[in-house]
Amino acid sequence: MAERLARIHGTEEDKVNCPFYFKIGACRHGEKCTRFHIRPPVSQTLLFYHMYENPTLAIALASGDDHLIPDEKIAEVRKHFEEFYEDVFLELANYGEIEELHVLNNIGAHLIGNVYCKFATEDDAENCLKKVTGRFYGGKPITAEYSPVTDFREARCRQFEEGSCARGGHCNFMHLKPVSRKLKNYVFETMYQEHPDYLQRHKKKKGSKGERKRSKDRGEKKKKKHRSRSRSRSRSRSRSRKKSRSASHSPSASKVKEDKHKEMTSEERRAMIAMWDQEDDGNGGPKEG
């Protein structure tokens, strides 16, 4: 039962918790939703409700009427958004290291103008939430809260990215406003230039990881060296045993052993004694008169 509940949590099969709030941090039914909206007590991601004020032309573009808008007007809408993105990114970066910043292109009442900012740590997000609470942006009070969204791949609309979303700006999944690579590189470079302490974090993490890896490598080398020595000693002992066995089982050694233990006959003994006597006579031994 517990495994099944864990498996269906935040999906369409979950009849208790709202899957849309779980995936995108917002629900079109709001507080009237029949399912629970479980707000996280802490998160890396902050949601800023309706922070971006879409120009009228931006709404028209999100609705799919871009073919009716002149190119110069589209360029103005793009410039308006990029100025907002740069301003908000660098301001929020003062309170913590940013990993991702997304602005929605949806025009549904619960999603329009929403900004999601994912920080490097939960502490950074907490610090930012404290700093922006009670402040204003564009003449409007900032409304921010922790969001359950940490993986935007699950929250975004894949059909929108492929240019085939039939619901357009009224889709309930995230349509992320595109940000140029040039602008992204600029805001991240500026953040690290203005806050070099963020880079120090990564160096410390890399340093600790590198030290752990070096220690592990040293340990592996010692183990390999010990196994190599053990194999060498084992091979030496094996060769010694083989030599001793081959020597003990060789034909010459067997013959010597057999010769030592072989009994001599009486005739062989008499012949040997006679040979010894002849040798004594030839050496000038005592003779009878």
Side-chain angles (χ1 to χ4, degrees), residues 184-211:
K184 277 187 178 180
N185 290 341
Y186 170 75
V187 292
F188 275 100
E189 287 175 5
T190 304
M191 177 179 69
Y192 288 121
Q193 287 173 2
E194 294 180 352
H195 305 280
D197 52 306
Y198 295 163
L199 286 175
Q200 293 300 322
R201 297 178 183 177
H202 299 288
K203 290 181 180 179
K204 288 179 181 179
K205 287 181 182 179
K206 287 181 180 178
S208 60
K209 287 181 181 178
E211 183 59 34

Side-chain angles (χ1 to χ4, degrees), residues 242-256:
K242 286 180 180 178
K243 285 181 179 180
S244 62
R245 283 198 297 268
S246 62
S248 62
H249 289 85
S250 62
S252 58
S254 300
K255 187 176 180 181
V256 170

Side-chain angles (χ1 to χ4, degrees), residues 39-53:
R39 289 176 168 79
V42 67
S43 174
Q44 286 178 251
T45 306
L46 292 181
L47 166 57
F48 299 85
Y49 284 102
H50 315 304
M51 190 177 188
Y52 178 60
E53 191 72 35

Side-chain angles (χ1 to χ4, degrees), residues 93-110:
N94 291 326
Y95 312 124
E97 182 184 0
I98 295 174
E99 286 190 351
E100 297 180 59
L101 182 72
H102 299 292
V103 182
L104 298 194
N105 202 41
N106 305 67
I107 57 176
H110 61 300

